[in-house]
Amino acid sequence: MAKHQLDNQAQFRSFENFAELSRTLVSEWLHLIDDASLSKRPAAFALAGGSTPAPIYRELDQALAQRATANVLLTATDERWVHDSDPQSNEGLFKKCLAQSVGKQWHLISLKNAANTPEVAMEAINERLQKQIPERFSAVLLGMGADGHIASLFPGAPVQADGLDCLAAVHPQTHQTRISLSLPRLLQTEKIWLVITGNEKREVFENALSSDLPIGNLLKQAQCRIEVFWCP
């Protein structure tokens, strides 16, 4: 593993393969959970969906399942407005990848309800988030698209809505409806983990500070430590 500082806020960590990346990140994750437990408070995390972080979640699941108890709250950074059984559901992904520990060592704070659209649900989901995760996240785990989007905050689209913790979003190509944590809520965290793979995304990230892309806005506005986990 190689490390180098990008600035005072961000550290780029390069790994030979994804298995090494996963082991390192899960080890750090468990330390945060242990620290929260010693302080007698829940550890709360916002997690990216998609196939890239799935192996990390499966490894975390194995570690959590070996513990008698844990007080961990998980929410998605964003979610497609589909049922959990849909293969595209991030919340469904969490339940599959963390199947041994769900409901025991961790509990989900859902970004969905029975409303027909995210626009209708936004205020209720905002209230749920503020009630159940009122404090800063212990960490936010983000992915990044090749277009520089994070969560479901896409280039040229809003990153917040009327001071709410969440907002409705639409994928610019598929027009799929989604709900996403707002950029200000993503920034309310003790630490940000950014997991990216491949040289194309690495180049996008390295040029982000000079851009107006969502990833660039995240880097510019972050008030916490950002660790970038990258492998080819």
Side-chain angles (χ1 to χ4, degrees):
M1 179 185 70
K3 300 181 182 179
H4 65 269
Q5 290 293 128
L6 297 175
D7 54 35
N8 292 332
Q9 289 289 101
Q11 182 181 63
F12 194 97
R13 306 173 69 170
S14 178
F15 299 85
E16 291 187 4
N17 53 64
F18 202 84
E20 182 187 0
L21 184 158
S22 294
R23 285 194 299 271
T24 302
L25 181 48
V26 167
S27 177
E28 291 198 11
W29 202 332
L30 293 172
H31 281 307
L32 289 185
I33 292 171
D34 289 341
D35 287 345
S37 179
L38 289 173
S39 301
K40 300 188 183 303
R41 57 182 173 83
F45 302 92
L47 308 184
S51 59
T52 298
I56 301 172
Y57 302 153
R58 287 193 287 267
E59 187 157 342
L60 176 67
D61 185 45
Q62 293 179 9
L64 286 178
Q66 296 173 11
R67 300 180 170 208
T69 59
N71 189 5
V72 178
L73 302 176
L74 302 182
T75 192
T77 58
D78 62 314
E79 174 63 310
R80 297 162 178 87
W81 209 249
V82 296
H83 192 273
D84 283 359
S85 61
D86 190 299
Q88 295 189 78
S89 169
N90 290 339
E91 295 182 0
L93 174 78
F94 303 156
K95 291 175 182 177
K96 291 176 184 176
C97 291
L98 292 146
Q100 298 179 75
S101 53
V102 61
K104 303 169 187 174
Q105 287 83 6
W106 69 272
H107 294 83
L108 177 71
I109 310 302
S110 178
L111 292 186
K112 294 183 292 193
N113 62 16
N116 289 328
T117 66
E119 289 85 357
V120 174
M122 281 167 48
E123 291 192 7
I125 300 302
N126 174 72
E127 184 176 344
R128 178 187 295 165
L129 289 167
Q130 293 189 347
K131 181 179 180 180
Q132 300 194 44
I133 312 180
E135 307 296 333
R136 296 164 69 89
F137 290 116
S138 301
V140 170
L141 191 157
L142 289 168
M144 184 194 73
D147 61 354
H149 85 263
I150 52 171
S152 284
L153 306 179
F154 296 101
V159 297
Q160 56 187 324
D162 299 324
L164 301 180
D165 284 354
C166 57
L167 70 159
V170 177
H171 190 281
Q173 279 78 48
T174 67
H175 306 294
Q176 183 185 57
T177 56
R178 304 179 176 198
I179 190 165
S180 179
L181 296 184
S182 67
L183 181 59
R185 186 63 181 99
L186 290 171
L187 293 170
Q188 291 176 33
T189 182
E190 300 294 334
K191 184 176 290 192
I192 293 171
W193 295 321
L194 179 65
V195 177
I196 54 176
T197 59
N199 290 321
E200 181 184 13
K201 289 186 179 182
R202 178 170 183 165
E203 185 176 351
V204 171
F205 173 79
E206 289 178 343
N207 293 323
L209 280 173
S210 59
S211 76
D212 287 326
L213 297 174
I215 182 61
N217 292 328
L218 179 88
L219 292 172
K220 294 168 190 173
Q221 297 179 39
Q223 300 295 312
C224 68
R225 179 96 169 156
I226 300 174
E227 291 184 67
V228 184
F229 290 75
W230 176 87
C231 73

